[in-house]
Amino acid sequence: MAKDTVVESPELPWMRERRFPIRHVIPFALCHLAVLGAVFTGVTWQAVALCVGLYFLRMFAVTAGYHRYFAHRSFKTSRVFQFVLAFLATSSAQKGVLWWAAHHRRHHKFSDQEGDVHSPVREGFLWSHVGWLFVAGSEETDFDRIRDFAKYPELRFLNDWQLLPPTLLALACIAVAGLPGLFIGFFASTVLLWHGTFVINSLAHVWGTRRFETTDTSRNNLWLALITLGEGWHNNHHRHQASCRQGFYWWEIDVTYYVLWTLSKLGVVWDLRPVPEKILEEGRQADLARRQGAPAIDPAE
């Protein structure tokens, strides 16, 4: 006799209850206020250089590591570089590597449907941008959804001690550039990185164009792609999430992919998963139809 199929319930209790403990909100607010410390210490070129460098380094770690590697396994690498990516991404103070990837896998399973924890079309901008992060219960890691990487003790350690990497980075910024390095190099870059990452949740499903018909409202947006090193090609990504490349065509700027491609030539990463030719052709036909005046693809209701 065949076993009964277990259907996962999309509902999460914490999404229904929506309690916002003050201890979840205060650290986030204080990090924003800490940037104002530069009013008293001044702003140096070293601090600005740190800010810019740490924004792009950690954005790459989040997009290549947390997203394309841990959430989607779109390429392979060594256990050592796997840890390096996880450590750098965790220094962004966007919670633990297993937490991040597990939540993102859930997003793809229920994208813009019941169970999607940060859908802007269902819950609005503020909730999808930051609100869901502060709810009691949202901080728990769904280990069942990330069993493939949860087996590594070093990743579990980073997930449990998620404040260690950003703390060490903050101390390094002080050592390099003094207090301006802390306020601008660390805190300003961290705040900019947060919101640069969060706009994919809050804007990439409502602002941009749709090339592919998907079951959600994902969109492609050049401006979001630029500030996130390629993540703004969101409709592409939701059409084929396993691809290492999110800018499917040569004119779609995808800096994260360029760096990963370079690392693959150096042997640091390998087996970058491509976009299937049938999907590329589907996209070409969709672009051609749009140029010939076909109506825009409406998001699924």
Side-chain angles (χ1 to χ4, degrees):
M1 184 172 62
K3 294 181 179 179
D4 292 336
T5 301
V6 177
V7 179
E8 178 184 5
S9 172
E11 186 177 54
L12 288 171
W14 60 264
M15 289 185 67
R16 181 178 64 252
E17 296 167 1
R18 299 200 180 187
R19 293 183 296 104
F20 295 86
I22 194 68
R23 70 180 186 278
H24 289 188
V25 180
I26 288 179
F28 184 80
L30 289 179
C31 285
H32 286 72
L33 292 175
V35 179
L36 299 178
V39 172
F40 305 99
T41 66
V43 178
T44 64
W45 71 265
Q46 295 96 332
V48 173
L50 269 178
C51 180
V52 174
L54 288 177
Y55 176 89
F56 285 106
L57 175 64
R58 293 187 291 168
M59 180 63 82
F60 170 77
V62 169
T63 59
Y66 271 7
H67 189 204
R68 304 191 197 194
Y69 181 70
F70 291 107
H72 293 296
R73 305 194 67 156
S74 66
F75 61 92
K76 296 178 182 178
T77 190
S78 66
R79 188 165 174 178
V80 171
F81 193 65
Q82 170 182 284
F83 179 79
V84 170
L85 281 175
F87 187 93
L88 289 175
T90 306
S91 74
S92 68
Q94 294 186 26
K95 299 190 178 181
V97 52
L98 304 178
W99 177 94
W100 202 106
H103 273 80
H104 190 74
R105 289 179 180 185
R106 181 181 184 85
H107 163 65
H108 273 272
K109 184 174 180 63
F110 300 109
S111 185
D112 287 330
Q113 310 299 320
E114 183 184 2
D116 186 350
V117 296
H118 48 63
S119 170
V121 297
R122 292 178 63 89
E123 305 289 348
F125 172 84
L126 189 60
W127 169 268
S128 62
H129 193 72
V130 294
W132 71 279
L133 294 167
F134 304 139
V135 179
S138 66
E139 73 279 10
E140 299 297 326
T141 300
D142 184 355
F143 287 103
D144 286 339
R145 203 175 291 278
I146 194 70
R147 291 178 181 176
D148 47 345
F149 288 110
K151 65 184 180 182
Y152 295 104
E154 64 272 26
L155 297 182
R156 280 185 171 266
F157 174 83
L158 282 179
N159 200 69
D160 291 341
W161 294 86
Q162 60 190 258
L163 293 181
L164 180 61
T167 300
L168 292 176
L169 180 60
L171 293 174
C173 287
I174 296 174
V176 170
L179 288 178
L182 175 66
F183 297 132
I184 298 299
F186 177 74
F187 281 112
S189 70
T190 299
V191 168
L192 290 171
L193 182 62
W194 281 346
H195 294 289
T197 305
F198 298 165
V199 292
I200 299 301
N201 293 340
S202 58
L203 295 180
H205 282 247
V206 296
W207 180 32
T209 60
R210 288 174 54 78
R211 168 184 288 128
F212 298 104
E213 292 187 36
T214 59
T215 58
D216 52 39
T217 62
S218 56
R219 298 170 183 272
N220 289 332
N221 189 297
L222 170 63
W223 300 109
L224 297 183
L226 292 176
I227 65 175
T228 59
L229 307 186
E231 301 294 290
W233 307 114
H234 207 55
N235 180 240
N236 290 354
H237 174 56
H238 274 263
R239 177 61 182 87
H240 190 68
Q241 61 184 281
S243 170
C244 185
R245 184 172 190 165
Q246 296 190 15
F248 283 3
Y249 305 94
W250 66 265
W251 62 87
E252 294 177 332
I253 299 170
D254 187 349
V255 175
T256 293
Y257 176 74
Y258 306 152
V259 176
L260 287 171
W261 181 87
T262 302
L263 291 175
S264 74
K265 298 306 177 183
L266 299 173
V268 179
V269 303
W270 55 88
D271 289 353
L272 277 60
R273 297 172 71 176
V275 186
E277 179 56 36
K278 66 177 183 178
I279 292 179
L280 291 175
E281 181 59 26
E282 178 187 335
R284 295 187 194 103
Q285 293 301 319
D287 288 348
L288 177 62
R290 186 171 58 182
R291 288 195 297 270
Q292 293 176 342
I297 297 173
D298 290 326
E301 294 296 334

